[in-house]
Amino acid sequence: QKVSTRCQRLEQMLHREPQDRLDLLAIAEKLKLAADTFRAVKAESQASQALALREKALNMAAGLDSFFQEDAA
């Protein structure tokens, strides 16, 4: 049962992965814009937070890439 549930989750991930990756990259781009805006109004703390979140989104997208590259090999 546990393996079956895990297989179903993996299948759902495989089905959604291309869109999830594109969504993460779009989020990262918006966060970069937000950081630039915060910097322009001298809100460095918020700019730093936006850049940290951007980095997390990019890492998540890269994680999806590496996961599926390993699966293809």
Side-chain angles (χ1 to χ4, degrees):
Q1 180 67 13
K2 205 176 210 182
V3 172
S4 177
T5 303
R6 211 166 163 195
C7 287
Q8 287 174 342
R9 286 182 55 214
L10 182 58
E11 188 175 285
Q12 289 172 346
M13 283 176 54
L14 290 171
H15 181 70
R16 289 191 343 231
E17 183 272 332
Q19 188 58 50
D20 288 350
R21 182 179 171 281
L22 293 175
D23 290 344
L24 286 167
L25 293 174
I27 289 167
E29 190 57 35
K30 296 294 182 192
L31 287 166
K32 182 180 182 308
L33 177 63
D36 292 342
T37 302
F38 285 131
R39 262 196 225 103
V41 296
K42 306 283 191 240
E44 286 301 318
S45 176
Q46 287 85 352
S48 295
Q49 290 174 3
L51 288 175
L53 287 172
R54 177 181 186 265
E55 194 61 35
K56 286 181 183 181
L58 289 173
N59 287 335
M60 290 170 70
L64 287 174
D65 285 344
S66 65
F67 176 80
F68 290 100
Q69 286 173 357
E70 288 174 12
D71 192 48

